[in-house]
Amino acid sequence: QVQLVESGGGLVQAGGSLRLSCATSRSIFSSNAMGWFRQAPGKQRELVAAITSGGSTKYADSVKGRFTISKDNAKNTVYLQMNSLKPEDTAVYFCNALWGGWGPAKFGSWGQGTQVTVSS
């Protein structure tokens, strides 16, 4: 069973910040690039940030300069620091391993996600 546990979402005003966490197993964390996806109501799930096993990062244009992906190798955890949040960032956020450095998602089994709601 794939272990992907997201946390840290919440309700925040526009311009605010949140930090999301994704805990996973050592086997998944150590051998894969990891990514943060989001899915807004009525929209497809999209990849917004990725980090390789070596620590290289990449971002969707919509979040570049505002979001930062990082990881803690000791804790098998990936983070997404989200600053200058906008109402359009409202979505359920998920993490998953990636095929390659920029998706697609490797596992068809997803975690429960964490809801981020940004009020205007």
Side-chain angles (χ1 to χ4, degrees):
Q1 186 173 355
V2 177
Q3 178 188 359
L4 296 163
V5 181
E6 302 92 349
S7 63
L11 173 64
V12 64
Q13 289 188 331
S17 298
L18 284 173
R19 188 195 194 203
L20 307 184
S21 299
C22 167
T24 187
S25 66
R26 183 68 184 167
S27 60
I28 292 174
F29 183 87
S30 62
S31 58
N32 291 286
M34 297 294 295
W36 280 99
F37 295 77
R38 68 185 181 188
Q39 187 167 21
K43 295 188 177 181
Q44 287 191 331
R45 194 170 298 179
E46 61 172 345
L47 178 62
V48 298
I51 187 165
T52 67
S53 55
S56 297
T57 60
K58 189 172 181 179
Y59 301 92
D61 288 343
S62 58
V63 306
K64 199 173 295 182
R66 300 187 298 120
F67 290 11
T68 302
I69 189 171
S70 62
K71 60 178 183 171
D72 186 329
N73 293 332
K75 296 182 179 180
N76 302 327
T77 299
V78 182
Y79 303 100
L80 187 67
Q81 178 67 44
M82 306 187 296
N83 299 329
S84 302
L85 282 161
K86 304 175 181 180
E88 51 263 44
D89 295 318
T90 295
V92 181
Y93 284 72
F94 303 85
C95 65
N96 207 319
L98 302 176
W99 289 111
W102 190 248
K106 194 168 189 178
F107 300 113
S109 177
W110 295 81
Q112 82 287 352
T114 187
Q115 175 71 49
V116 171
T117 303
V118 184
S119 63
S120 57

